Amino acid sequence: MQPPASTTPPHDEAAPPVSTLGCAILGLLARTELTGYDIARRMDRPVGYVWTAGHSQIYPELARLESRGLVRHVVVVGAGPRPTKRYAVTGAGRAALESWVVAPAGAPTVREPELLRVWSLWTVSAESGRSVVEAMAQRHRLALADLRPQHEECRSDPRSEDVTDPQFASLLTLEAGIRSHEATLQWCDWVLDRFSGA
Amino acid sequence: MQPPASTTPPHDEAAPPVSTLGCAILGLLARTELTGYDIARRMDRPVGYVWTAGHSQIYPELARLESRGLVRHVVVVGAGPRPTKRYAVTGAGRAALESWVVAPAGAPTVREPELLRVWSLWTVSAESGRSVVEAMAQRHRLALADLRPQHEECRSDPRSEDVTDPQFASLLTLEAGIRSHEATLQWCDWVLDRFSGA
DNA sequence: AGGCGCATGTAAGCCGTTACATGATTCC
DNA sequence: GGAATCATGTAACGGCTTACATGCGCCT
């Protein structure tokens, strides 16, 4: 009998699926090579994108992806005080990303904190209700102000018309974000009308 | 980011804030008294509402709420084989709910699995991309078919015009859901145009 | 001298999902 | 006899947030 060697990373067993966070990172790295720190900076604030994560999630996830052969890194003695690891997707990583993109998706779990508040809005006075909705509108106006310049920049890039270019997909998500916030703002107006009129 | 700072009493002991799930349950119980099982059934499928939870989350949360005096129960020997606990909000529970509703909300964390896929849509062929978006549209059409009858029913209820009635708040969230799905469907059409044309 | 940006990690704890566990009644 | 519904819980596990930990170089 052969006692298993302690280090046996190869993939002969049924591999657990890549987490959503893993796919987000693969998607970033498929666009350009980045260090862990760069990934963390991009995902700490969801600039124009659709996902966020803290650095404490990213470093372990990068290690997991690497142990499965989906990404690899080279050490660079670049800008910072300590050596930094520049990551890139492997062929297997790109394949995993592509099959995740086209995999059939289940019904997404509905869980909207903002609307949960609204759902209990009947418990407070009309004035309080109004101000809750006005604050909500203000948040969405700010989000729009953040997205619109990115959207303009993306749309003026001719690559955003090429369906195989990352810019194309960026334009799609930015457009989705803008439409969503605009729809919410219209809904807020509709609600405020109901509070006033009746 | 999610847990909103609750009441913050000036000189009292630092009470941990009620979780979002706790507020969802308080919101349900503020509308009508329910057993744990009933709550679980309502939240297992997000019927017209905006939150979901499994029964394994609900029973412990009810115990937590009760230990803080926000809900209380009476044992009823009703329909089922074993005694069931009928829960109701207390005065403190209602107060906690109201202060949570009006508490200032931070910027919500953006994390949209569906759009994350779209953001990597450039990695696959145009035909695959099309079908991903078409499947997405189909899911949102189904969600609309689920919401529209509830919306109709709610709107025909005269209580939905009274801002202090639960039906009013239900109408608000149903309207938000419908508008959101409609906006997404329009976005899907816009995307499919981009795939075809150009 | 202190704070910020670079750059990487680990640990504690909450929240949520899935699965385990029990047991009575009603319907097929 | 078996499956579904009623009715309540616990346990294991993974994802995410917050905080801890380290340490260099630059700017004020």
Side-chain angles (χ1 to χ4, degrees), chain A residues 14 21 36-37 69 77 83 87 109 121 144 161 174 176 187 197:
Chain A
L21 172 62
Y37 186 76
V77 200
Y87 284 88
T109 337
L121 211 58
L144 267 181
E161 278 161 43
L174 285 168
W187 173 87

Side-chain angles (χ1 to χ4, degrees), chain A residues 87-149:
Chain A
Y87 284 88
V89 284
T90 63
R94 171 71 184 233
L97 176 61
E98 288 174 24
S99 63
W100 172 76
V101 168
V102 299
T109 337
V110 180
R111 203 174 284 130
E112 307 244 21
E114 256 186 348
L115 286 180
L116 185 63
R117 264 168 216 277
V118 171
W119 188 65
S120 290
L121 211 58
W122 62 277
T123 61
V124 301
S125 71
E127 301 94 67
S128 294
R130 269 195 148 274
S131 70
V132 166
V133 176
E134 268 157 8
M136 208 174 141
Q138 191 54 29
R139 283 197 300 279
H140 287 273
R141 261 180 237 117
L142 284 174
L144 267 181
D146 196 40
L147 289 183
R148 282 214 169 103

Side-chain angles (χ1 to χ4, degrees), chain A residues 37 55-56 59 79-80 84-85 111:
Chain A
Y37 186 76
H55 77 273
S56 66
Y59 289 115
T84 177
K85 301 178 187 172
R111 203 174 284 130

Side-chain angles (χ1 to χ4, degrees), chain B residues 46-57:
Chain B
V47 201
Y49 306 122
V50 287
W51 205 261
T52 53
H55 77 274
S56 66
Q57 263 184 288

Side-chain angles (χ1 to χ4, degrees), chain A residues 19-37:
Chain A
S19 70
T20 309
L21 172 62
C23 291
I25 292 174
L26 287 177
L28 254 178
L29 293 177
R31 289 166 171 241
T32 176
E33 299 189 3
L34 291 168
T35 68
Y37 186 76

